[in-house]
Amino acid sequence: MPIVNRVADLQPDIQTWRRDIHQHPELLYDVHRTAAFVADRLREFGCDEVVTGIGQTGVVGVIKGKKPGREGLKAIGMRADMDALPVDEQTNLPYASKTPGKMHACGHDGHTAMLLGAARYLAETRNFAGDAVVIFQPAEEGGAGGAAMVKDGMMERFGIEQVYGMHNGPGIPIGSFAIRPGPIMASTDEVDFIIEGLGGHAARPHKCVDSVLVGAQLITALQSIVSRSVDPLESAVISICEFHAGNARNVIPQTATLRGTIRTLTADVRKLVEKRVREVVAGVAQITGAKIDLQYKRGYPVVNNHAAETEVATRIARQVAGDTNVLEMSPMMGGEDFAYMLEARSGAFIFCGNGDSAGLHHPAYNFNDEAIVFGTSYWVKLVEEQLAAS
């Protein structure tokens, strides 16, 4: 495999950084130790600029090539996420999390370490023209840290013209990549339903408005949206994952609360599903006589890979892994706040194989250190080709 030789030499250091970060997981924007670790490494590498506090606790490093940016593309951004998850680790690894209830169960430790490795290589060699901008983002896991960094003016401040992201992929072989143009990951909207019925004795249901029955009818009706309102050739998911009501077997509860998530891959389907959810809620309320309060919160947008940059990312991945080891994947219904950066600038998001590991967000998950040389080489070659020095 044509990985970068110097990256292979750096692998032990990158692995050490990764495992240190793994032992000290932090959540959302509270990534102060990780951000300090990243900033200290970037300064040691000799980055021309290291800025902290972007998007609250994000870190940005700028590495200037041997020559000024050529006419056209002058700066590209590469993003890694730093935050962990509120999960109790069950790996029994010697470098397992030292903080109960927190774990790097999504591989952000690996993402951060690989981009640090690329930053070290690029600061040593500088075999490119223009600026390589390394972005270390907080709060990907539900906190919209990507949006926070964009709103802080990151793209304008550092002159970023294209932006690229990477995520590890359990089930994708080590040494392989997966990517697709267009929608690659879904929008993630949240729904809460608060049902107000009329409680009473379980033996006198005719004197009540049963909030449990209303909730059950609502769940069933919501599932008809995907099966009967959305084009079968489009994709949508409505999952109601919480149902809270009552605390006694002989009392019909007055209230019930349902919570769930809605995933779509296009703006039109997203709009349609929201409209139909509101209509279904109104209909069920009218039929049952209950009051239903709907709280509909739009979350991360669709991760939409731009065509030209996807071609670039695919070409670079093939240089690293070989033509047969770069797969065109199907869209995923999971979400990613790199979507906000792709709304601000053209770019592409790619998956790097993590082998036969436990799935993302699982307590037995672990980032596979064998992936380091491939992910880091991808970043290096991306910069050297996109910002080629003439």
Side-chain angles (χ1 to χ4, degrees), residues 334-369:
E336 236 290 348
D337 78 343
F338 188 67
Y340 293 107
M341 296 192 187
L342 289 177
E343 287 186 335
R345 293 293 184 270
S346 60
F349 194 68
I350 195 168
F351 285 84
C352 179
N354 200 57
D356 186 21
S357 69
L360 302 175
H361 294 211
H362 191 279
Y365 167 85
N366 184 44
F367 180 86
N368 193 328
D369 288 323

Side-chain angles (χ1 to χ4, degrees), residues 178-192:
I179 193 171
R180 63 172 284 111
I184 188 170
M185 297 186 76
S187 61
T188 59
D189 297 337
E190 299 176 357
V191 282
D192 290 12

Side-chain angles (χ1 to χ4, degrees), residues 268-287:
D268 287 345
V269 173
R270 192 181 196 186
K271 182 178 179 181
L272 169 67
V273 170
E274 180 176 354
K275 174 177 177 289
R276 291 294 293 129
V277 167
R278 295 186 184 280
E279 291 170 349
V280 165
V281 167
V284 171
Q286 182 177 11
I287 290 169

Side-chain angles (χ1 to χ4, degrees), residues 5 9 26 48 66 69 88 95 115 124 180 211 272 292 302 326 337 359:
N5 288 335
D9 293 339
E26 298 173 300
D48 297 279
K66 291 179 179 177
D88 280 308
Y95 54 86
L115 190 55
E124 287 178 356
R180 63 172 284 111
S211 63
L272 169 67
I292 306 176
V302 175
V326 181
D337 78 343

